[in-house]
Coordinates of all heavy atoms in Angstrom, one line a residue:
V44 N 16.8 1.6 -7.5 CA 16.6 0.8 -8.7 C 15.3 1.1 -9.5 O 15.3 1.0 -10.7 CB 16.7 -0.7 -8.3 CG1 15.4 -1.1 -7.5 CG2 16.8 -1.6 -9.5
T45 N 14.3 1.7 -8.8 CA 13.1 2.0 -9.5 C 13.2 3.2 -10.4 O 12.3 3.4 -11.2 CB 11.9 2.2 -8.5 OG1 12.3 3.3 -7.6 CG2 11.6 1.0 -7.7
R46 N 14.3 4.0 -10.3 CA 14.5 5.1 -11.2 C 14.5 4.5 -12.6 O 14.1 5.2 -13.6 CB 15.8 5.9 -10.9 CG 15.6 6.8 -9.6 CD 16.9 7.6 -9.5 NE 16.9 8.4 -8.3 CZ 16.4 9.7 -8.2 NH1 15.9 10.3 -9.2 NH2 16.5 10.3 -7.0
S47 N 15.1 3.4 -12.8 CA 15.3 2.8 -14.1 C 14.4 1.6 -14.4 O 14.5 1.1 -15.5 CB 16.8 2.5 -14.3 OG 17.2 1.6 -13.3
Q48 N 13.6 1.2 -13.5 CA 12.8 0.0 -13.8 C 11.5 0.4 -14.5 O 10.8 1.3 -14.0 CB 12.4 -0.7 -12.5 CG 13.5 -1.7 -12.1 CD 13.2 -2.5 -10.8 OE1 12.2 -2.1 -10.1 NE2 14.0 -3.5 -10.5
L49 N 11.1 -0.3 -15.5 CA 9.8 -0.1 -16.2 C 9.7 1.3 -16.8 O 8.6 1.9 -16.7 CB 8.6 -0.4 -15.3 CG 8.7 -1.7 -14.5 CD1 7.5 -1.8 -13.5 CD2 8.7 -3.0 -15.4
R50 N 10.8 1.7 -17.3 CA 10.8 3.1 -17.9 C 9.8 3.2 -19.1 O 9.8 2.4 -19.9 CB 12.2 3.5 -18.4 CG 13.0 4.1 -17.3 CD 14.3 4.7 -17.9 NE 15.0 5.4 -16.8 CZ 16.3 5.4 -16.6 NH1 17.1 4.7 -17.5 NH2 16.9 6.0 -15.7
D51 N 9.1 4.4 -19.1 CA 8.3 4.6 -20.3 C 8.9 5.7 -21.2 O 8.5 5.9 -22.3 CB 6.9 5.0 -19.9 CG 6.9 6.2 -18.9 OD1 7.8 6.3 -18.1 OD2 6.0 7.1 -19.0
I52 N 9.9 6.4 -20.6 CA 10.6 7.5 -21.4 C 12.1 7.2 -21.2 O 12.6 7.2 -20.1 CB 10.3 8.9 -20.9 CG1 8.8 9.2 -20.9 CG2 11.0 9.9 -21.8 CD1 8.4 10.5 -20.3
P53 N 12.8 6.9 -22.3 CA 14.2 6.6 -22.2 C 15.0 7.7 -21.4 O 14.8 8.9 -21.7 CB 14.7 6.5 -23.6 CG 13.5 6.3 -24.4 CD 12.4 7.0 -23.7
G54 N 15.8 7.3 -20.5 CA 16.7 8.2 -19.7 C 16.0 9.0 -18.7 O 16.7 9.8 -18.0
V55 N 14.7 8.9 -18.5 CA 14.0 9.7 -17.5 C 13.5 8.8 -16.4 O 13.2 7.7 -16.6 CB 12.8 10.4 -18.2 CG1 11.9 11.1 -17.2 CG2 13.3 11.4 -19.3
D56 N 13.6 9.4 -15.1 CA 13.1 8.6 -14.0 C 11.7 7.9 -14.3 O 10.8 8.6 -14.7 CB 13.0 9.5 -12.7 CG 14.3 9.8 -12.2 OD1 15.3 9.1 -12.4 OD2 14.4 10.8 -11.5
A57 N 11.7 6.6 -14.0 CA 10.4 5.9 -14.3 C 9.3 6.3 -13.3 O 9.6 6.8 -12.2 CB 10.7 4.4 -14.1
L58 N 8.1 6.1 -13.8 CA 6.9 6.4 -12.9 C 6.9 5.6 -11.6 O 6.5 6.1 -10.6 CB 5.6 6.1 -13.7 CG 5.3 7.1 -14.8 CD1 4.3 6.5 -15.8 CD2 4.8 8.4 -14.3
Y59 N 7.5 4.4 -11.7 CA 7.7 3.6 -10.5 C 8.4 4.4 -9.4 O 8.0 4.4 -8.2 CB 8.5 2.4 -10.8 CG 8.4 1.2 -9.8 CD1 7.6 1.3 -8.7 CD2 9.1 0.1 -10.1 CE1 7.5 0.2 -7.8 CE2 9.0 -1.0 -9.2 CZ 8.2 -0.9 -8.1 OH 8.2 -2.0 -7.2
F60 N 9.4 5.2 -9.8 CA 10.1 6.0 -8.8 C 9.3 7.3 -8.5 O 9.2 7.7 -7.3 CB 11.5 6.4 -9.4 CG 12.3 7.2 -8.4 CD1 13.0 6.7 -7.4 CD2 12.3 8.6 -8.5 CE1 13.7 7.5 -6.5 CE2 13.0 9.4 -7.7 CZ 13.7 8.9 -6.6
T61 N 8.9 8.0 -9.6 CA 8.3 9.3 -9.3 C 7.1 9.2 -8.5 O 6.8 10.2 -7.7 CB 8.0 10.0 -10.7 OG1 7.0 9.3 -11.3 CG2 9.2 10.2 -11.5
M62 N 6.3 8.1 -8.6 CA 5.1 8.0 -7.8 C 5.2 7.6 -6.4 O 4.3 7.5 -5.6 CB 4.1 7.1 -8.6 CG 3.7 7.6 -9.9 SD 2.6 6.5 -10.8 CE 1.1 6.7 -9.9
L63 N 6.5 7.3 -6.0 CA 6.7 6.8 -4.6 C 7.7 7.7 -3.9 O 8.1 7.4 -2.7 CB 7.3 5.4 -4.6 CG 6.2 4.3 -4.9 CD1 6.8 3.1 -5.4 CD2 5.4 4.1 -3.6
N64 N 8.2 8.8 -4.5 CA 9.2 9.6 -3.9 C 9.0 11.1 -4.0 O 9.9 11.9 -4.0 CB 10.6 9.2 -4.5 CG 11.0 7.8 -4.1 OD1 11.5 7.6 -3.0 ND2 10.8 6.8 -5.0
S65 N 7.7 11.5 -4.1 CA 7.4 12.9 -4.2 C 7.8 13.6 -2.9 O 7.8 13.0 -1.8 CB 6.0 13.1 -4.6 OG 5.1 12.5 -3.7
N66 N 8.0 14.9 -3.0 CA 8.2 15.8 -1.9 C 9.5 15.5 -1.1 O 9.7 16.0 0.0 CB 7.1 15.8 -0.9 CG 5.8 16.3 -1.5 OD1 5.4 15.9 -2.6 ND2 5.1 17.2 -0.8
K67 N 10.4 14.7 -1.7 CA 11.7 14.3 -1.0 C 12.8 15.1 -1.6 O 12.7 15.7 -2.7 CB 12.0 12.8 -1.1 CG 10.9 11.9 -0.6 CD 11.3 10.4 -0.8 CE 10.2 9.5 -0.3 NZ 10.5 8.1 -0.5
R68 N 14.0 15.1 -0.9 CA 15.2 15.7 -1.4 C 16.2 14.5 -1.7 O 16.1 13.5 -0.9 CB 15.9 16.7 -0.5 CG 15.0 17.9 -0.3 CD 15.8 19.1 0.3 NE 16.1 18.9 1.7 CZ 17.1 19.6 2.3 NH1 17.8 20.5 1.7 NH2 17.4 19.4 3.6
S69 N 17.0 14.6 -2.7 CA 17.9 13.4 -3.0 C 19.4 13.8 -2.7 O 19.9 14.8 -3.2 CB 17.8 13.0 -4.4 OG 18.8 12.1 -4.8
L70 N 20.0 13.0 -1.9 CA 21.5 13.1 -1.6 C 22.2 11.9 -2.1 O 21.8 10.8 -1.6 CB 21.6 13.3 -0.1 CG 23.0 13.1 0.5 CD1 24.0 14.2 0.2 CD2 23.0 12.9 2.0
T71 N 23.1 12.0 -3.0 CA 23.9 10.8 -3.3 C 25.1 10.7 -2.3 O 25.7 11.7 -2.0 CB 24.4 10.9 -4.8 OG1 25.0 12.1 -5.0 CG2 23.3 10.6 -5.8
L72 N 25.3 9.4 -1.9 CA 26.3 9.2 -0.9 C 26.7 7.7 -0.9 O 25.9 6.8 -0.8 CB 25.7 9.5 0.5 CG 26.7 9.6 1.7 CD1 27.7 10.7 1.5 CD2 25.9 9.8 3.0
D73 N 28.0 7.5 -1.1 CA 28.5 6.1 -1.0 C 28.9 5.8 0.4 O 29.9 6.2 0.9 CB 29.7 5.9 -2.0 CG 30.1 4.5 -2.0 OD1 29.7 3.7 -1.1 OD2 30.9 4.1 -2.9
T74 N 28.0 5.1 1.1 CA 28.2 4.9 2.5 C 29.1 3.8 2.8 O 29.3 3.4 4.0 CB 26.8 4.6 3.2 OG1 26.2 3.5 2.5 CG2 25.9 5.8 3.1
K75 N 29.7 3.2 1.8 CA 30.8 2.2 2.0 C 32.2 2.8 2.0 O 33.1 2.1 2.2 CB 30.6 1.1 1.0 CG 29.4 0.2 1.4 CD 29.3 -1.1 0.6 CE 28.2 -2.0 1.1 NZ 27.9 -3.0 0.1
T76 N 32.3 4.1 1.6 CA 33.6 4.7 1.7 C 33.8 5.4 3.1 O 32.8 5.7 3.7 CB 33.7 5.8 0.6 OG1 32.7 6.8 0.9 CG2 33.5 5.3 -0.8
P77 N 35.0 5.5 3.5 CA 35.2 6.1 4.9 C 34.6 7.5 5.0 O 34.0 7.9 5.9 CB 36.8 6.2 5.0 CG 37.3 5.2 4.0 CD 36.3 5.1 2.9
E78 N 34.8 8.4 3.9 CA 34.2 9.7 3.9 C 32.7 9.7 3.9 O 32.0 10.5 4.6 CB 34.7 10.6 2.8 CG 36.2 10.9 2.9 CD 36.8 11.0 1.6 OE1 36.7 10.0 0.9 OE2 37.4 12.0 1.2
G79 N 32.2 8.7 3.1 CA 30.7 8.6 3.1 C 30.2 8.2 4.5 O 29.1 8.7 4.9
K80 N 30.9 7.4 5.2 CA 30.5 7.0 6.5 C 30.5 8.2 7.5 O 29.7 8.4 8.3 CB 31.4 5.9 7.1 CG 31.1 4.5 6.5 CD 31.9 3.5 7.2 CE 32.2 2.2 6.3 NZ 31.0 1.5 5.8
E81 N 31.5 9.0 7.2 CA 31.7 10.3 8.1 C 30.5 11.2 7.9 O 29.9 11.7 8.8 CB 32.9 11.0 7.7 CG 34.1 10.8 8.7 CD 35.3 11.5 8.2 OE1 35.3 12.7 8.0 OE2 36.3 10.8 7.9
I82 N 30.1 11.4 6.6 CA 29.0 12.3 6.3 C 27.7 11.7 6.9 O 26.9 12.4 7.5 CB 28.9 12.4 4.7 CG1 30.1 13.2 4.2 CG2 27.6 13.2 4.4 CD1 30.2 13.2 2.6
L83 N 27.6 10.4 6.7 CA 26.3 9.8 7.3 C 26.3 9.9 8.8 O 25.2 10.2 9.4 CB 26.3 8.3 6.9 CG 25.0 7.5 7.4 CD1 23.7 8.1 6.9 CD2 25.1 6.0 6.9
T84 N 27.5 9.7 9.4 CA 27.5 9.9 10.9 C 27.1 11.3 11.3 O 26.3 11.4 12.2 CB 29.0 9.7 11.4 OG1 29.4 8.3 11.0 CG2 29.1 9.8 12.9
K85 N 27.6 12.3 10.6 CA 27.2 13.7 10.9 C 25.7 13.9 10.7 O 25.0 14.5 11.5 CB 27.9 14.6 9.9 CG 28.2 16.0 10.4 CD 29.3 16.6 9.5 CE 29.6 18.0 9.6 NZ 28.9 18.9 10.3
L86 N 25.2 13.3 9.6 CA 23.7 13.4 9.3 C 22.9 12.7 10.4 O 21.8 13.2 10.8 CB 23.5 12.7 7.9 CG 22.2 13.1 7.2 CD1 22.1 14.6 7.0 CD2 22.2 12.4 5.8
I87 N 23.4 11.6 10.9 CA 22.6 10.9 11.9 C 22.5 11.7 13.2 O 21.5 11.8 13.8 CB 23.3 9.5 12.2 CG1 23.0 8.5 11.1 CG2 22.8 8.9 13.6 CD1 23.8 7.2 11.2
K88 N 23.6 12.4 13.5 CA 23.7 13.3 14.7 C 22.6 14.4 14.6 O 22.2 14.9 15.6 CB 25.1 13.8 14.9 CG 26.0 12.8 15.4 CD 27.4 13.4 15.7 CE 28.4 12.3 16.1 NZ 29.8 12.8 16.0
E89 N 22.3 14.8 13.4 CA 21.4 16.0 13.3 C 20.0 15.6 12.8 O 19.2 16.5 12.4 CB 22.0 17.1 12.5 CG 22.5 16.7 11.1 CD 23.3 17.9 10.5 OE1 24.3 18.4 11.1 OE2 22.9 18.2 9.3
S90 N 19.7 14.3 12.7 CA 18.4 13.9 12.2 C 17.5 13.3 13.3 O 18.0 13.0 14.4 CB 18.5 12.9 11.1 OG 19.3 13.5 10.0
D91 N 16.3 13.1 13.0 CA 15.3 12.5 14.0 C 15.0 11.1 13.7 O 14.8 10.3 14.6 CB 14.0 13.3 13.9 CG 14.2 14.8 14.2 OD1 14.3 15.1 15.4 OD2 14.3 15.6 13.2
V92 N 15.0 10.7 12.4 CA 14.5 9.3 12.1 C 15.4 8.8 10.9 O 15.8 9.6 10.0 CB 13.1 9.4 11.5 CG1 12.6 8.0 11.3 CG2 12.1 10.1 12.5
L93 N 15.8 7.6 11.0 CA 16.4 6.9 9.8 C 15.5 5.7 9.4 O 15.1 4.9 10.3 CB 17.8 6.4 10.2 CG 18.6 5.7 9.1 CD1 20.1 5.9 9.4 CD2 18.3 4.2 8.9
V94 N 15.1 5.7 8.2 CA 14.2 4.7 7.7 C 15.0 3.8 6.7 O 15.6 4.4 5.8 CB 12.9 5.2 7.0 CG1 11.9 4.1 6.8 CG2 12.3 6.3 7.9
E95 N 14.9 2.5 6.8 CA 15.6 1.7 5.8 C 14.8 0.4 5.5 O 14.1 -0.1 6.4 CB 17.0 1.3 6.3 CG 17.0 0.5 7.6 CD 17.1 -1.0 7.4 OE1 17.5 -1.5 6.3 OE2 16.8 -1.7 8.3
N96 N 15.0 -0.1 4.3 CA 14.4 -1.4 4.0 C 15.4 -2.2 3.1 O 15.1 -2.7 2.1 CB 13.0 -1.3 3.3 CG 13.0 -0.7 1.9 OD1 13.7 0.3 1.7 ND2 12.2 -1.2 1.0
F97 N 16.6 -2.2 3.6 CA 17.7 -3.0 2.9 C 17.4 -4.5 3.2 O 16.6 -4.8 4.1 CB 19.1 -2.7 3.5 CG 19.5 -1.3 3.1 CD1 20.1 -0.5 4.1 CD2 19.5 -0.8 1.8 CE1 20.6 0.7 3.8 CE2 20.0 0.4 1.5 CZ 20.5 1.2 2.5
G98 N 18.1 -5.3 2.5 CA 18.0 -6.8 2.9 C 18.6 -7.0 4.3 O 19.3 -6.1 4.8
P99 N 18.2 -8.1 4.9 CA 18.6 -8.4 6.3 C 20.1 -8.1 6.5 O 21.0 -8.6 5.8 CB 18.2 -9.8 6.5 CG 17.2 -10.1 5.5 CD 17.5 -9.2 4.3
G100 N 20.5 -7.4 7.5 CA 21.9 -7.2 8.0 C 22.6 -6.1 7.2 O 23.8 -5.9 7.6
A101 N 22.1 -5.5 6.1 CA 22.9 -4.6 5.3 C 23.3 -3.4 6.1 O 24.4 -2.9 5.9 CB 22.1 -4.2 4.1
L102 N 22.4 -2.8 6.9 CA 22.8 -1.6 7.7 C 23.9 -1.9 8.7 O 24.8 -1.2 8.8 CB 21.5 -1.1 8.4 CG 21.6 0.4 8.9 CD1 21.8 1.3 7.8 CD2 20.3 0.7 9.7
D103 N 23.8 -3.1 9.3 CA 24.9 -3.5 10.2 C 26.2 -3.7 9.5 O 27.3 -3.2 9.9 CB 24.6 -4.9 10.9 CG 23.4 -4.8 11.8 OD1 22.8 -3.7 12.0 OD2 23.0 -5.9 12.4
R104 N 26.2 -4.3 8.3 CA 27.4 -4.5 7.5 C 28.0 -3.2 7.1 O 29.2 -3.1 6.9 CB 27.1 -5.4 6.2 CG 26.8 -6.8 6.5 CD 26.9 -7.7 5.3 NE 25.8 -7.4 4.3 CZ 24.6 -7.9 4.4 NH1 24.3 -8.7 5.4 NH2 23.7 -7.6 3.5
M105 N 27.1 -2.2 6.9 CA 27.6 -0.8 6.6 C 28.3 -0.2 7.7 O 29.0 0.8 7.6 CB 26.4 0.0 6.2 CG 26.6 1.0 5.1 SD 25.0 1.9 4.9 CE 24.2 1.0 3.6
G106 N 28.1 -0.8 8.9 CA 28.8 -0.3 10.1 C 27.8 0.6 11.0 O 28.3 1.2 12.0
F107 N 26.5 0.6 10.7 CA 25.6 1.4 11.4 C 24.6 0.5 12.1 O 23.4 0.4 11.7 CB 24.9 2.4 10.5 CG 25.9 3.5 10.1 CD1 26.6 3.3 8.9 CD2 26.1 4.6 10.8 CE1 27.6 4.2 8.5 CE2 27.1 5.5 10.4 CZ 27.8 5.4 9.3
T108 N 25.1 -0.2 13.2 CA 24.2 -1.0 14.0 C 23.3 -0.1 14.8 O 23.6 1.1 15.0 CB 25.0 -1.9 14.9 OG1 25.7 -1.1 15.8 CG2 25.9 -2.9 14.2

Side-chain angles (χ1 to χ4, degrees):
V44 68
T45 59
R46 284 189 187 267
S47 56
Q48 274 182 349
L49 312 175
R50 271 191 175 140
D51 56 324
I52 306 177
V55 173
D56 285 337
L58 288 163
Y59 197 2
F60 180 84
T61 62
M62 293 178 75
L63 284 157
N64 291 284
S65 53
N66 297 47
K67 302 180 184 179
R68 296 197 288 163
S69 168
L70 164 72
T71 46
L72 189 64
D73 185 343
T74 56
K75 286 191 172 162
T76 61
E78 287 145 307
K80 285 188 205 302
E81 257 177 59
I82 295 170
L83 180 59
T84 300
K85 207 162 166 359
L86 202 53
I87 287 174
K88 287 183 182 163
E89 54 189 54
S90 298
D91 302 281
V92 185
L93 182 152
V94 190
E95 64 94 18
N96 67 320
F97 293 133
L102 198 61
D103 292 359
R104 287 196 292 280
M105 216 184 263
F107 291 90
T108 61

